[in-house]
Amino acid sequence: METNHQLKRADFIFKNENDWEEVLKKNISRSSNELINELISSELKGRGGAGFPTGLKWKLSAEVDSDTKYVICNADEGEPGTFKDREILSLVPFKVLTAMAICGLVVGAKEGYIYLRGEYFFLKPELNKAISEFEQYCKEINLDFTIRIFMGSGAYICGEETALFESMEGKRGEPRNKPPYPALSGYMNKPTVINNVETLAHAYTIFTYGAKRFYDLGVQYSRGTKLFSVSGDTPKPGIYELELGMSLADFVNDFGDGDSKAVQVGGASGFLVPRKRFAETTIGYQGKLVGISLPTGGSMMLFNSSRSMFNVLDNYLEFFREESCGQCTPCRVGCQQLLKGIKAVKSGEKSTQYLDKLLTLAETMQFTAKCGLGQSVANSFSSIVENFREEMIY
Amino acid sequence: MGKNIKITINGEIVEINEGTSILDAARQVGVIIPTLCYHKDLCVAGNCRVCVVEIAGQKRLSPSCATPCEEGMDIFTNSVKVRNSRKHIIELLLSEHNADCTRCYKNGKCELQKLASDFKIMSNDFIPLVPFKNYTIDMFSPSIIKDDSKCIRCQRCVRTCAELQGVNALTVAYKGDKMKITTFFEKAMNDVVCTNCGQCVIHCPTGALVERNYIEEVWAAITDKAKHVIVQTAPAVRVALGEELGFESGTRITGKMVAALKRLGFDAVMDTDFTADLTIMEEGTELLSRLKRALVDHDPGVKLPMATSCSPGWIKYIEHIYPDYLGHLSTCKSPQQMFGALAKTYYAQARNLQPDNIVSVSIMPCTAKKFEANRPEMNDSGYRDVDYVLTTRELAIMIKQAGIDFMKLEDIHFDRLMGESTGAGVIFGATGGVMEAALRTAYELVTGREVPFKDLNILPVRGMEGVREASILIENPLKEWAFLDGVELKCAVAHGLVNAKKVMDSIISGEANYHFIEIMACPGGCLGGGGQPIPTSPEIRAKRAAAIYAEDEGMPIRKSHLNPEVLKIYKDFLIKPLGEKSHLLLHTKYTIRKSF
Ligand SMILES: Cc1cc2nc3c(=O)[nH]c(=O)nc-3n(C[C@H](O)[C@H](O)[C@H](O)COP(=O)(O)O)c2cc1C
Ligand code: SF4
Ligand code: SF4
Ligand code: SF4
Ligand code: SF4
Ligand code: FES
């Protein structure tokens, strides 16, 4: 995989929202096929979950025959320390609304929902105002599309798309079995396109400037830019829009405090990369390390040498143990076992070989858990235990 | 269904209907995949993950119960990866589980235990989580014990209570490590809207939900020489008990069951079928009198349709959910409670026994009957009408404890006085049976002719459809029933409380216009009751139903009003249906309950 050997700041997402009316008007005169092909050729991948190609997602939903379809914007943003979606919705909401409406047109959906994280309740009045204005304009241009806000319940798992549907249907937020996938059977068992806030904002960029402009950014398999929430031991925490394909070494050069020993890429569900592998690690979808899944992707947490990696892992496992919906065995019990297990090794109750049993357990969780939460616990667990085994023991 | 597709299971090419789950496809070719959360009666949850299989080309394993086959799939059900994962999952479940098998009521009958045994889980590497959990045992209900320390969170009970019963007494609460199965506000089972039907019990794979058993109490009564212990057996028990004792499902073992009860030491072994026939006399007469009040007297106070009242799960359900409609219930007690009231009056007199020396036990396919026997008003004999209710399963346990070689028993007939039955009494055990029995009698009483169905088999009310409707036109009735001439008697039958709800809602909305409805709380009627042998499935229930109808066809008398002991009790004791004694002993009142 090719790598951008310098960090490229970009500024698409938070700029130029003012022309949304034009963008909408221009695009609704285009055919569904044309729009889908534009999106496909941009190679935009989902910014909230597993990096599924967005154009293909829309296409699959468009091909299903159904009277009722839905477009849902996933604004549940539950990953600790991540608030990029919040920034998008408060600074450039019309980009998201416009992309939703275009999506509706493409797939044949007349209703859109924004599933807003419970803690973002304060955004609701402003967002509702934007929605009214937006719907008014839709009427003017004879576009039949409405958007409603659905407030989330505060559980992290409700950001998982099928748990989100369950929660919207008034049920307990438990992920469903897949297949069927949302494109075929989602909210109310109707074909549903669900996209992350940021994905929709990028779609807006593509429908504004054309696919090529987006495609030309980034590297093979990882086109365009992405918002990163930088936190931890860094002198400049915050949200940054960067071109994909950067090397982690460059990233650390720019954002580190000179003493970075590891970076957690992708939050609790992501991977820990130790210093010795900064240079070989590329941040993008097909990167060796990043690429299986990056739920609510974009969290970059830096750790310097004062940090105990045991504590870091302990925190992540605590998080998973509590935030697991609890329905499936590998995740519900597995998280408890991993957490108790590392503590037992640390205290000497279990031998150090027990870590190897836990590594195989984490692997079983990855193979057998029902949803992305349980499947991705192994990412941080294995990468931390394998790279900082000493710190787990002593 | 869809087209045929080709898949490969463990290297063998299989042709299968598109959309079939991998689990079913494997079963069709003799490959058994272990399951825990899967149950044929319920929608697929896919949460236990023991059924995972490997699909070539996929890194992750797939739950076979929840994954439909697709053309060309290359599936491995026993690869190293599958085996290791499965073992891990069972180990995980056990680490969270109070695996106190030798002291567990489900010992030997538990799906988790069987898996642990099949996979020879000998190690306990994982850290036991039980000491860290705040597990509780709820023993407040007279019917059901709920022990959270035995729960594997498969949600079969939750799905059962929601999908089959529409009651939603059980629900999932909390998340993560604290996730558990509980009730509204975590109240005790006796304090929530629960019908005691026991469907959750027969669908639970472990010892987390079990019937409250009264085995030791019954042994104590039998052993007490001063007590005269009399037992009644419900119609559905005889077609299911065999399953617990080595017979195929659907084997009729009535005579052996009577012989076993004798050997256990019961002083008299009698038949609930007798009071089932009696119920028909009382309820049939009640129906005709309601019809007369409606059609002749134009009494606006008369409640139609009249609903059957022999299923105590249904009674508790309507008391909670439709308290304004209690007037529609027949005032007849269930056959069990009729029997109880007569045991300590009619039987005591006839046998010259002191009623307080009689211990009345019943063997029921039902856990709700335990609650029913405990209802405060069920003491019309002056004593507790029924002292102990055992399920079919508890009886099987006693038979095993007593060392009875059930297969070798010679058939014996029930004792006399309350041990004679007809085919009509027997079919009470199947959904539609009460209706059929009532029609056989009521039609004949009204017209003087047999019901116009071949061999008395009223097929439209039989079957396993959730709600079934039938109507029967009354022509040329006897003189005293002239007002019924030309009346088309409209009936409906429902089983499973979700279906009861459908019927009730259509009555309330005015959409349906029935005269008589039969409602059984459990799927299939009593033969699928919450006290019956485990497992249950549509196929097993169909076999039990077939056995019931075969038993009916084999009976010399098939109409309740011809039961000689029923005729005798009216002659010697009750005088007439709905008479004074009947009112005192055989009829009851209902209680308004909260809907939350
Ligand atoms: C545990 C879990 C939590 C998730 N939380 C979010 C979230 O907060 N926001 C989000 O957009 N996607 C979240 N996802 C990913 C969604 O399931 C889904 O893949 C995503 O919304 C699809 O949008 P995209 O294709 O635009 O990325 C989560 C996934 C998992 C497994
Ligand atoms: S993996 Fe975890 S969060 Fe996902 S369904 Fe299973 S228990 Fe729930
Ligand atoms: S529920 Fe099953 S595994 Fe658990 S203690 Fe009882 S018999 Fe053993
Ligand atoms: S006994 Fe019946 S009503 Fe009560 S919880 Fe179980 S299934 Fe539900
Ligand atoms: S009580 Fe039984 S059926 Fe219900 S979740 Fe627990 S183990 Fe499963
Ligand atoms: S039986 Fe398939 S996941 Fe439980």
Side-chain angles (χ1 to χ4, degrees):
Chain A
M1 179 174 175
E2 58 177 299
T3 304
N4 278 326
H5 282 292
Q6 36 170 261
L7 212 52
K8 290 184 194 155
R9 303 272 171 99
D11 196 3
F12 288 93
I13 297 264
F14 295 112
K15 246 175 64 184
N16 281 341
E17 183 203 25
N18 301 335
D19 52 357
W20 65 269
E21 287 161 326
E22 265 167 64
V23 174
L24 183 58
K25 206 156 140 196
K26 178 183 88 188
N27 280 287
I28 62 168
S29 64
R30 303 168 70 191
S31 78
S32 226
N33 263 342
E34 217 178 309
L35 290 163
I36 287 177
N37 287 335
E38 178 99 59
L39 206 52
I40 289 177
S41 59
S42 76
E43 291 189 10
L44 169 64
K45 288 179 180 168
R47 300 300 198 234
F52 192 83
T54 309
L56 184 58
K57 194 183 256 190
W58 291 21
K59 186 173 159 95
L60 289 172
S61 196
E63 283 168 357
V64 185
D65 202 17
S66 172
D67 294 343
T68 315
K69 296 184 186 180
Y70 298 102
V71 176
I72 295 177
C73 166
N74 189 343
D76 196 44
E77 194 160 53
E79 186 81 39
T82 313
F83 45 90
K84 63 178 181 74
D85 294 343
R86 182 187 82 193
E87 289 300 288
I88 296 175
L89 286 176
S90 45
L91 297 175
V92 288
F94 285 99
K95 288 194 174 184
V96 176
L97 305 181
T98 304
M100 285 176 77
I102 297 174
C103 177
L105 187 76
V106 165
V107 303
K110 294 185 176 60
E111 286 174 62
Y113 287 92
I114 297 176
Y115 188 96
L116 190 62
R117 178 177 184 190
E119 286 86 338
Y120 292 173
F121 188 74
F122 65 92
L123 284 181
K124 202 177 163 187
E126 278 301 309
L127 201 52
N128 264 330
K129 246 187 4 218
I131 291 173
S132 310
E133 191 186 332
F134 182 79
E135 285 180 343
Q136 185 55 39
Y137 183 69
C138 286
K139 269 195 209 121
E140 281 166 31
I141 58 170
N142 279 324
L143 179 64
D144 185 5
F145 193 73
T146 58
I147 297 176
R148 255 164 293 174
I149 298 178
F150 188 98
M151 291 310 298
S153 61
Y156 171 64
I157 191 58
C158 289
E160 196 280 336
E161 53 199 19
T162 59
L164 184 149
F165 302 146
E166 292 283 299
S167 146
M168 282 180 69
E169 290 172 14
K171 294 182 249 167
R172 183 181 153 86
E174 284 187 353
R176 300 175 182 168
N177 289 298
K178 294 189 238 182
Y181 291 93
L184 200 72
S185 172
Y187 175 51
M188 295 295 188
N189 298 325
K190 299 287 180 197
T192 304
V193 173
I194 176 162
N195 274 128
N196 173 250
V197 175
E198 188 190 338
T199 312
L200 291 163
H202 286 298
Y204 181 91
T205 304
I206 293 160
F207 292 126
T208 308
Y209 301 113
K212 183 158 185 324
R213 182 79 178 268
F214 185 87
Y215 182 88
D216 286 345
L217 301 166
V219 296
Q220 198 189 5
Y221 305 127
S222 305
R223 297 293 170 186
T225 64
K226 159 118 200 65
L227 291 181
F228 290 92
S229 307
V230 181
S231 62
D233 299 317
T234 166
K236 39 185 182 183
I239 296 176
Y240 297 88
E241 184 173 353
L242 304 172
E243 257 190 76
L244 285 172
M246 65 191 169
S247 99
L248 194 55
D250 293 333
F251 174 85
V252 171
N253 272 340
D254 195 337
F255 288 93
D257 61 359
D259 183 27
S260 306
K261 78 167 172 188
V263 179
Q264 179 78 12
V265 178
S269 325
F271 296 82
L272 185 95
V273 186
R275 183 187 294 138
K276 62 175 189 276
R277 304 184 62 181
F278 286 168
E280 65 190 69
T281 302
T282 301
I283 305 301
Y285 290 96
Q286 288 275 317
K288 192 160 171 248
L289 285 165
V290 188
I292 298 170
S293 75
L294 252 166
T296 59
S299 161
M300 303 289 275
M301 190 178 267
L302 295 97
F303 300 108
N304 68 20
S305 56
S306 73
R307 300 291 158 183
S308 148
M309 295 322 290
F310 176 84
N311 288 346
V312 170
L313 180 56
D314 188 77
N315 273 335
Y316 288 151
L317 291 174
E318 195 90 55
F319 173 78
F320 285 126
R321 184 191 60 172
E322 271 170 35
E323 294 302 332
S324 152
C325 80
Q327 70 162 314
C328 79
T329 313
C331 172
R332 180 188 68 249
V333 196
C335 291
Q336 298 174 60
Q337 286 297 349
L338 293 181
L339 182 61
K340 285 224 183 309
I342 60 162
K343 286 190 201 290
V345 170
K346 189 81 173 175
S347 71
E349 272 164 68
K350 288 270 184 193
S351 74
T352 56
Q353 281 93 305
Y354 192 59
L355 285 175
D356 301 319
K357 168 119 187 165
L358 295 180
L359 284 169
T360 63
L361 171 61
E363 200 178 43
T364 295
M365 291 167 68
Q366 187 190 345
F367 294 154
T368 62
K370 185 167 179 177
C371 85
L373 188 146
Q375 288 159 7
S376 60
V377 173
N379 297 351
S380 50
F381 185 86
S382 305
S383 58
I384 294 176
V385 169
E386 276 161 10
N387 289 303
F388 293 93
R389 198 177 169 103
E390 310 286 88
E391 289 194 33
M392 299 300 118
I393 300 166
Y394 305 109
Chain B
M1 251 177 69
K3 59 180 193 307
N4 268 5
I5 54 169
K6 273 207 186 90
I7 58 166
T8 316
I9 298 181
N10 300 336
E12 195 181 320
I13 295 175
V14 184
E15 206 162 310
I16 210 90
N17 233 309
E18 189 173 25
T20 311
S21 72
I22 295 177
L23 178 68
D24 286 340
R27 282 186 187 178
Q28 284 178 34
V29 294
V31 172
I32 295 162
I33 299 172
T35 57
L36 275 176
C37 67
Y38 173 83
H39 196 288
K40 263 200 169 163
D41 284 340
L42 306 173
C43 78
V44 169
N47 59 32
C48 75
R49 317 304 278 184
V50 297
C51 72
V52 287
V53 297
E54 186 168 354
I55 301 172
Q58 298 185 9
K59 183 169 178 201
R60 284 202 292 271
L61 304 178
S62 298
S64 59
C65 66
T67 310
C69 293
E70 281 168 28
E71 179 72 56
M73 264 186 183
D74 193 3
I75 298 157
F76 300 91
T77 68
N78 192 32
S79 66
V80 178
K81 196 161 157 182
V82 168
R83 261 201 318 278
N84 288 343
S85 297
R86 220 171 252 163
K87 257 186 130 148
H88 262 155
I89 288 166
I90 302 167
E91 282 180 71
L92 287 175
L93 283 172
L94 291 172
S95 77
E96 205 189 22
H97 187 89
N98 174 20
D100 191 12
C101 295
T102 52
R103 270 178 287 268
C104 180
Y105 190 62
K106 264 300 190 60
N107 191 3
K109 296 258 171 196
C110 167
E111 292 180 38
L112 177 63
Q113 188 188 43
K114 178 165 188 308
L115 267 187
S117 155
D118 288 352
F119 284 81
K120 293 290 165 250
I121 307 293
M122 320 285 287
S123 62
N124 56 347
D125 287 353
F126 288 133
I127 295 166
L129 300 170
V130 180
F132 303 95
K133 304 247 170 188
N134 199 3
Y135 286 132
T136 50
I137 306 183
D138 175 353
M139 308 230 276
F140 289 100
S141 154
S143 299
I144 291 166
I145 295 176
K146 176 170 174 285
D147 179 353
D148 292 346
S149 76
K150 304 283 166 76
C151 174
I152 56 167
R153 296 156 182 85
C154 64
Q155 303 190 34
R156 265 155 62 162
C157 55
V158 177
R159 282 174 283 148
T160 299
C161 197
E163 292 167 27
L164 303 181
Q165 302 301 59
V167 176
N168 297 301
L170 296 170
T171 151
V172 181
Y174 309 110
K175 57 185 168 51
D177 55 325
K178 304 215 169 48
M179 183 268 211
K180 67 172 192 171
I181 311 301
T182 185
T183 54
F184 184 65
F185 275 120
E186 302 202 50
K187 292 203 256 182
M189 290 288 278
N190 66 331
D191 201 20
V192 293
V193 180
C194 160
T195 68
N196 302 300
C197 69
Q199 284 302 313
C200 52
V201 170
I202 49 170
H203 289 88
C204 176
T206 69
L209 282 167
V210 297
E211 67 273 16
R212 170 131 182 206
N213 85 77
Y214 297 87
I215 296 172
E216 287 311 320
E217 286 85 342
V218 172
W219 276 130
I222 289 175
T223 323
D224 186 344
K225 287 280 169 282
K227 297 289 182 200
H228 182 85
V229 189
I230 138 172
V231 64
Q232 55 168 318
T233 64
V237 176
R238 66 206 64 189
V239 296
L241 177 68
E243 291 166 29
E244 292 277 340
L245 299 163
F247 287 94
E248 284 286 306
S249 35
T251 314
R252 295 183 278 147
I253 42 78
T254 317
K256 288 193 191 326
M257 174 183 73
V258 176
L261 288 163
K262 290 261 173 198
R263 279 217 195 165
L264 290 178
F266 286 102
D267 296 299
V269 180
M270 303 209 274
D271 201 352
T272 317
D273 288 18
F274 161 75
T275 35
D277 282 333
L278 199 56
T279 301
I280 291 301
M281 300 304 290
E282 295 288 328
E283 199 165 289
T285 314
E286 186 185 358
L287 175 65
L288 292 173
S289 91
R290 287 198 195 198
L291 288 172
K292 176 158 179 295
R293 276 167 59 205
L295 300 172
V296 180
D297 311 339
H298 300 290
D299 175 355
V302 63
K303 299 278 193 258
L304 283 174
M306 187 178 88
T308 58
S309 56
C310 35
S311 164
W314 152 238
I315 297 299
K316 186 132 185 288
Y317 179 76
I318 187 173
E319 288 177 334
H320 280 296
I321 311 294
Y322 300 102
D324 297 342
Y325 291 81
L326 297 181
H328 288 259
L329 287 173
S330 158
T331 58
C332 286
K333 287 180 183 173
S334 73
Q336 157 174 284
Q337 293 306 136
M338 286 193 183
F339 190 101
L342 293 172
K344 294 191 182 179
T345 53
Y346 173 62
Y347 176 80
Q349 283 167 28
R351 292 283 185 271
N352 226 340
L353 293 162
Q354 284 299 324
D356 55 349
N357 276 338
I358 296 179
V359 177
S360 149
V361 176
S362 64
I363 313 292
M364 292 288 139
C366 181
T367 49
K369 289 240 154 63
K370 292 175 187 269
F371 170 83
E372 184 187 37
N374 267 299
R375 289 174 76 115
E377 69 272 21
M378 292 298 176
N379 58 356
D380 290 328
S381 64
Y383 305 88
R384 190 94 306 249
D385 294 338
V386 174
D387 294 291
Y388 301 112
V389 179
L390 302 182
T391 57
T392 310
R393 298 188 292 269
E394 289 162 82
L395 173 59
I397 292 170
M398 289 183 74
I399 291 172
K400 287 182 198 161
Q401 287 179 351
I404 296 169
D405 189 345
F406 193 76
M407 296 247 178
K408 295 216 177 101
L409 292 175
E410 297 284 344
D411 288 1
I412 294 187
H413 192 273
F414 288 101
D415 288 317
R416 300 293 160 189
L417 200 63
M418 293 166 50
E420 199 60 71
S421 86
T422 69
V426 171
I427 58 176
F428 260 61
T431 166
V434 181
M435 178 64 67
E436 182 164 350
L439 291 177
R440 283 184 195 169
T441 287
Y443 189 88
E444 196 163 324
L445 291 184
V446 168
T447 65
R449 305 183 304 271
E450 286 195 335
V451 278
F453 289 92
K454 186 165 180 288
D455 299 330
L456 294 175
N457 297 333
I458 309 180
L459 298 180
V461 300
R462 296 188 184 179
M464 289 293 165
E465 201 54 39
V467 177
R468 304 184 295 284
E469 294 179 323
S471 61
I472 184 164
L473 183 65
I474 300 177
E475 286 172 305
N476 300 322
L478 300 173
K479 230 188 7 254
E480 51 173 318
W481 302 106
F483 66 92
L484 286 174
D485 197 11
V487 169
E488 191 179 14
L489 195 63
K490 291 202 183 113
C491 310
V493 170
H495 59 126
L497 291 170
V498 271
N499 297 313
K501 183 170 179 13
K502 285 184 201 152
V503 169
M504 285 308 289
D505 289 344
S506 72
I507 290 167
I508 291 166
S509 72
E511 199 182 306
N513 196 7
Y514 306 119
H515 297 105
F516 187 32
I517 58 175
E518 179 210 288
I519 296 186
M520 293 290 161
C522 290
C526 303
L527 57 85
Q532 291 284 59
I534 301 171
T536 184
S537 70
E539 292 75 31
I540 291 172
R541 292 193 293 275
K543 284 188 189 156
R544 292 179 191 160
I548 283 207
Y549 290 113
E551 185 103 347
D552 168 33
E553 296 236 27
M555 299 290 265
I557 308 172
R558 299 179 59 211
K559 293 178 283 198
S560 298
H561 56 281
L562 298 184
N563 182 330
E565 288 181 352
V566 167
L567 297 173
K568 181 173 158 61
I569 196 174
Y570 280 116
K571 186 158 117 329
D572 296 351
F573 185 74
L574 293 170
I575 314 304
K576 64 171 195 212
L578 298 189
E580 202 183 320
K581 269 226 175 81
S582 293
H583 263 297
L584 185 67
L585 294 174
L586 308 183
H587 291 260
T588 188
K589 286 200 198 60
Y590 304 104
T591 310
I592 292 176
R593 297 178 197 270
K594 291 180 302 184
S595 65
F596 53 85

